[in-house]
């Protein structure tokens, strides 16, 4: 999904919602795909916010035969995180996790330097970056749902599956009737498009 820039006013709201969605092994994607269904060793999501924009992405590895099933879970959980109110417990637990992870990253000189360098690349001042914990603690659940909900509208979500399409294409067409199959030998990874003449 096309995301937001690091300087967007809703950045921290979306960040918290994404953390609930797939920020760790306690995230919804991991729980639904690995713990409940055993379809993958893991599933996660990340919100990458740069100077001019960003992406929200979610991924997992699975068997060809279960690819469409995993895709269905992803689409369902994206819809859910963007529309279903977050519980107060989920919000507070995730704030604790996020703040703790941030504070641990500052405990070494390498981690501290990497944090500030990464912020500078995204146009964020050192003062603002070091206020991360306070910004996260101030997020309200309703704002988090609203922020992520704007990103994960069905029309904005691109679904990409790499594998043997003959083993999942029929089920995938139920989810996305307009699916496009690109043979591996026709994909030009050097340019990010189809091979010339295709």
């Amino acid at each position: 999904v096309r995301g937001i820039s690091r300087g967007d006013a809703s950045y921290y709201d979306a960040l918290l919602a994404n953390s609930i969605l797939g920020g760790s092994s306690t995230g919804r994607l991991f729980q639904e795909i690995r713990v409940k269904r055993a379809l993958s060793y893991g599933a996660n999501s990340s919100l990458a916010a740069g100077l001019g924009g960003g992406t929200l992405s979610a991924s997992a590895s699975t068997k060809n035969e279960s690819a469409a099933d995993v895709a269905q879970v992803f689409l369902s959980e994206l819809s859910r995180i963007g529309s279903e109110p977050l519980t107060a417990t989920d919000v507070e637990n995730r704030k604790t996790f996020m703040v703790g992870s941030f504070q641990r990253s500052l405990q070494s000189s390498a981690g501290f330097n990497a944090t500030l360098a990464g912020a500078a690349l995204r146009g964020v001042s050192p003062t603002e970056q070091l206020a991360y914990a306070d910004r996260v603690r101030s997020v309200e659940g309703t704002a988090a749902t609203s922020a992520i909900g704007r990103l994960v509208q069905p029309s904005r979500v691109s679904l990409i599956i790499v594998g043997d399409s003959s083993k999942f294409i029929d089920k995938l067409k139920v989810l996305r009737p307009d699916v496009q199959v690109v043979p591996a030998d026709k994909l030009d990874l050097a340019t990010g498009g189809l091979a010339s003449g295709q």
Side-chain angles (χ1 to χ4, degrees):
V1 178
R2 291 188 184 278
I4 55 178
S5 69
R6 177 61 177 80
D8 192 287
S10 64
Y11 169 72
Y12 288 101
D13 301 322
L15 191 66
L16 186 138
N18 172 70
S19 188
I20 291 173
L21 174 67
S24 70
S25 61
T26 59
R28 291 178 178 180
L29 294 177
F30 189 98
Q31 292 297 310
E32 292 293 329
I33 292 173
R34 176 175 176 169
V35 177
K36 293 184 180 180
R37 295 173 174 80
L39 294 175
S40 176
Y41 283 115
N44 60 75
S45 63
S46 63
L47 181 70
L51 187 61
T55 57
L56 169 66
S57 61
S59 63
S61 296
T62 191
K63 297 181 296 184
N64 285 298
E65 292 79 3
S66 55
D69 298 317
V70 171
Q72 176 63 77
V73 175
F74 274 126
L75 295 175
S76 295
E77 290 303 317
L78 285 170
S79 175
R80 178 184 171 207
I81 196 70
S83 61
E84 184 179 290
L86 300 171
T87 68
T89 299
D90 282 344
V91 171
E92 291 308 311
N93 286 346
R94 194 49 51 165
K95 287 181 182 180
T96 299
F97 174 82
M98 293 171 67
V99 170
S101 297
F102 176 74
Q103 291 174 337
R104 282 194 302 275
S105 73
L106 302 180
Q107 291 179 355
S108 69
S109 58
F112 184 87
N113 292 340
T115 296
L116 294 188
L121 290 173
R122 292 166 178 80
V124 178
S125 71
T127 300
E128 172 61 25
Q129 182 62 21
L130 294 176
Y132 175 95
D134 290 335
R135 300 285 188 264
V136 169
R137 291 189 186 105
S138 70
V139 173
E140 299 291 337
T142 52
T145 300
S146 177
I148 203 80
R150 289 192 295 272
L151 298 180
V152 298
Q153 294 297 315
S155 62
R156 301 185 79 245
V157 177
S158 296
L159 182 61
I160 301 169
I161 300 178
V162 180
D164 182 350
S165 63
S166 67
K167 297 181 179 179
F168 57 76
I169 191 66
D170 290 338
K171 291 177 72 174
L172 184 60
K173 284 181 177 178
V174 175
L175 299 179
R176 291 289 174 91
D178 60 345
V179 63
Q180 178 184 8
V181 177
V182 180
D185 62 354
K186 303 300 182 185
L187 184 63
D188 183 357
L189 295 178
T191 63
L194 298 178
S196 59
Q198 301 300 318

